[in-house]
């Protein structure tokens, strides 16, 4: 049992939401884009979506400037 | 013989790009420079979206000129692109992209380029366009501020999202925005757009 976050193997925690996973990973950036198994997770759903076991999570940090 | 092969290849590329369309969200440093690169490369159609006017401070990095100050960016950029290629089809939208309808101008393009400025609006745009247009390829950039550190920039691909990314860059609130790095990332985005458009023919074109 385990998940992959940005290519790093991490322990899977039952019933953990995206919000708590980001907290556990210490991803404290204010703005991130999160994909789980290639599906984009809207920011408003971070507190509701549960991270499934064996999933691949990608977190991208958005930085101002353009 | 080799010469003929190259000619054939470049004709195929020209044809393909001429039939392709790219949408650009935001016409600042990223968007204006990416548009110029794509116009020169021969993209047939562009959809340009921005709500702003050209200001003097933009000239440090954006593809506008002194005599265009005060013009709408969509109009100024159209002028500049038409000076490069008058045959290009350009559709412009002078509007601010608002949440819940951000993907609308880009429904019919082959590739969407995110070239917005604030992190929040970038994240919202990526989120909306990927979820509402699931078959669309979206190219985005994050981490353009500063100078130097070109080697820190990487392409990160997540499904249909292609990020030109420097995760160690500071926010533009804390660092300068300057032409070389902004144009580097803008051209990186344009280059990714070409790769996506020509990608399916990569082997046939060889």
């Amino acid at each position: 049992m385990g998940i992959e976050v940005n290519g790093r193997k991490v322990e899977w925690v039952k019933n953990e939401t995206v919000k708590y996973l980001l907290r556990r990973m210490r991803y404290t950036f204010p703005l991130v884009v999160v994909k789980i198994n290639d599906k984009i997770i809207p920011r408003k759903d971070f507190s509701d979506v549960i991270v499934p076991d064996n999933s691949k999570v990608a977190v991208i940090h958005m930085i101002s400037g353009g | 013989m080799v010469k003929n092969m190259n000619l054939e290849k470049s004709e195929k590329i020209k044809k393909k790009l001429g039939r392709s369309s790219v949408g650009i969200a935001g016409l600042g440093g990223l968007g204006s420079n990416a548009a110029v690169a794509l116009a020169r490369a021969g993209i047939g159609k562009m959809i340009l979206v921005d709500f702003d006017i050209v200001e003097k401070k933009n000239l440090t990095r954006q593809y506008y000129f002194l005599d265009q100050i005060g013009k709408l960016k969509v109009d100024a950029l159209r002028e500049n692109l038409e000076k490069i290629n008058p045959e290009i089809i350009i559709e412009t939208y002078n509007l601010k992209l608002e949440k819940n309808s951000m993907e609308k101008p880009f429904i019919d393009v082959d590739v969407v380029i995110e070239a917005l400025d604030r992190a929040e609006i970038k994240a919202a745009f990526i989120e909306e366009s990927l979820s509402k247009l699931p078959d669309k390829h979206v190219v985005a950039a994050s981490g353009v501020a500063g100078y130097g550190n070109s080697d820190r920039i990487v392409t990160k691909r997540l499904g249909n999202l292609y990020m030109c990314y420097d995760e160690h860059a500071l926010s533009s609130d804390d660092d300068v925005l300057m032409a070389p790095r902004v144009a580097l990332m803008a051209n990186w985005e344009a280059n990714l757009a070409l790769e996506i458009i020509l990608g399916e023919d990569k082997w046939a074109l060889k």
Side-chain angles (χ1 to χ4, degrees):
Chain A
M1 287 198 302
I3 57 172
E4 220 180 279
V5 184
N6 283 357
R8 232 175 93 193
K9 287 208 174 356
V10 227
E11 194 192 336
W12 175 64
V13 175
K14 202 178 170 187
N15 291 328
E16 186 179 43
T17 61
V18 172
K19 183 181 164 186
Y20 280 96
L21 173 66
L22 292 176
R23 192 170 292 177
R24 172 157 69 106
M25 296 300 295
R26 297 202 173 80
Y27 288 161
T28 54
F29 325 117
L31 286 154
V32 291
V33 171
V34 175
K35 279 191 135 191
I36 298 182
N37 299 329
D38 259 350
K39 189 176 176 298
I40 189 116
I41 310 297
R43 255 182 316 141
K44 62 173 170 53
D45 299 341
F46 282 5
S47 327
D48 304 321
V49 173
I50 307 282
V51 181
D53 192 14
N54 295 313
S55 52
K56 278 193 174 172
V57 184
V59 181
I60 291 183
H61 169 194
M62 298 309 296
I63 308 160
S64 282
Chain B
M1 191 65 182
V2 171
K3 220 174 183 178
N4 290 338
M5 295 260 290
N6 285 340
L7 191 65
E8 196 187 329
K9 178 180 169 179
S10 66
E11 281 304 315
K12 275 186 184 169
I13 289 177
K14 200 175 147 189
K15 221 170 166 180
K16 174 85 185 177
L17 294 181
R19 284 196 308 258
S20 300
S21 58
V22 175
I24 303 183
L27 305 179
L30 287 172
S32 62
N33 284 294
V36 166
L38 292 170
R40 292 194 197 279
I43 289 290
K45 181 178 173 182
M46 274 189 242
I47 294 187
L48 308 175
V49 183
D50 199 290
F51 67 97
D52 225 345
I53 57 166
V54 178
E55 294 176 75
K56 193 170 182 197
K57 63 176 186 191
N58 300 151
L59 301 188
T60 56
R61 62 196 184 280
Q62 305 185 15
Y63 211 106
Y64 303 105
F65 300 94
L66 274 174
D67 61 1
Q68 293 182 313
I69 289 169
K71 284 191 180 175
L72 290 174
K73 285 188 178 174
V74 287
D75 294 338
L77 190 58
R78 175 197 285 276
E79 277 176 19
N80 298 340
L81 299 178
E82 284 175 347
K83 277 187 195 168
I84 294 165
N85 176 8
E87 277 162 37
I88 188 165
I89 299 166
I90 301 171
E91 239 175 73
T92 58
Y93 295 89
N94 175 43
L95 58 84
K96 191 167 186 148
L97 291 166
E98 299 283 0
K99 277 184 191 164
N100 301 320
S101 62
M102 295 184 121
E103 84 297 352
K104 287 229 170 95
F106 306 110
I107 287 172
D108 293 322
V109 297
D110 296 314
V111 177
V112 182
I113 292 185
E114 176 281 316
L116 300 158
D117 50 3
R118 309 301 313 163
E120 185 181 335
I121 199 92
K122 280 173 172 293
F125 183 81
I126 292 170
E127 213 175 274
E128 262 196 56
S129 40
L130 287 178
S131 50
K132 291 195 194 161
L133 310 171
D135 299 326
K136 197 76 68 187
H137 294 282
V138 178
V139 176
S142 176
V144 305
Y147 51 87
N149 294 309
S150 306
D151 299 336
R152 268 195 335 225
I153 302 168
V154 295
T155 303
K156 240 181 144 74
R157 182 173 174 190
L158 301 164
N160 281 344
L161 172 66
Y162 301 72
M163 287 286 305
C164 169
Y165 192 44
D166 174 5
E167 61 180 332
H168 300 292
L170 296 178
S171 161
S172 55
D173 298 323
D174 304 312
D175 206 345
V176 288
L177 285 167
M178 289 172 97
R181 207 159 195 280
V182 172
L184 184 61
M185 278 211 172
N187 281 282
W188 197 298
E189 286 194 285
N191 202 22
L192 282 169
L194 292 189
E195 196 175 2
I196 293 163
I197 290 167
L198 297 172
E200 63 196 81
D201 294 337
K202 212 176 228 171
W203 304 112
L205 288 168
K206 278 209 166 154

